[in-house]
Amino acid sequence: MITGKFISDYFEGLSRNHPGVAHSDKECHYVNLNDDKKQTFMADTLRYPAVMFETSGYIVRATGDTLTKRHQCHLQVVTHVIDTGDYAEIEKALSDCDGILTDFLAQMLIDKRNRLPRWMAGLTFEGIEVIPIENKSDALYGVLAELYFPEAICINTNRQ
């Protein structure tokens, strides 16, 4: 069974290994938004660029006698800009964050091919929607990817 914790741990590992993010125990560049403890100190300790992960539910589909769950997750890469009126700085921030996200997706494709972690094998790369993030009030700009992680549900025909 896939859980948000497995996926979050995976993205935290990518954040630690990516030279543009360089998440570490001393410099927090990654946060799981589903973890209430991290949300309370996030504003004070989060460094940029930052990677944020969140699970937001799942979709159930039936095909013949098989049910599947598709877990919906959001992966955000954002950075802080000094001047929200400097469009060149904003474009650079968006481009840098898009580059980090693209690197993550490329590594995910490699890991899927290598089947490590094993749950990655069911991931589909069709239709990953990426949208720009523009939070002018907090001077944060970046990108958000909507990802779906499948999980088969075992059907017990002996239930009444």
Side-chain angles (χ1 to χ4, degrees), residues 92-107:
K92 181 176 180 342
L94 290 169
S95 177
D96 290 349
C97 291
D98 185 62
I100 292 168
L101 177 64
T102 300
D103 291 345
F104 277 30
L105 293 173
Q107 185 61 51

Side-chain angles (χ1 to χ4, degrees), residues 27-44:
E27 289 282 324
C28 182
H29 288 265
Y30 175 83
V31 65
N32 177 350
L33 296 175
N34 295 107
D35 185 346
D36 292 335
K37 294 177 286 185
K38 287 189 178 181
Q39 282 190 30
T40 58
F41 70 85
M42 186 175 79
D44 297 332

Side-chain angles (χ1 to χ4, degrees), residues 94-128:
L94 290 169
S95 177
D96 290 349
C97 291
D98 185 62
I100 292 168
L101 177 64
T102 300
D103 291 345
F104 277 30
L105 293 173
Q107 185 61 51
M108 290 169 68
L109 191 58
I110 291 167
D111 293 343
K112 174 185 169 56
R113 187 174 347 120
N114 294 333
R115 299 180 190 269
L116 290 172
R118 290 178 57 107
W119 53 262
M120 187 70 77
L123 180 65
T124 179
F125 281 83
E126 286 186 35
I128 294 176

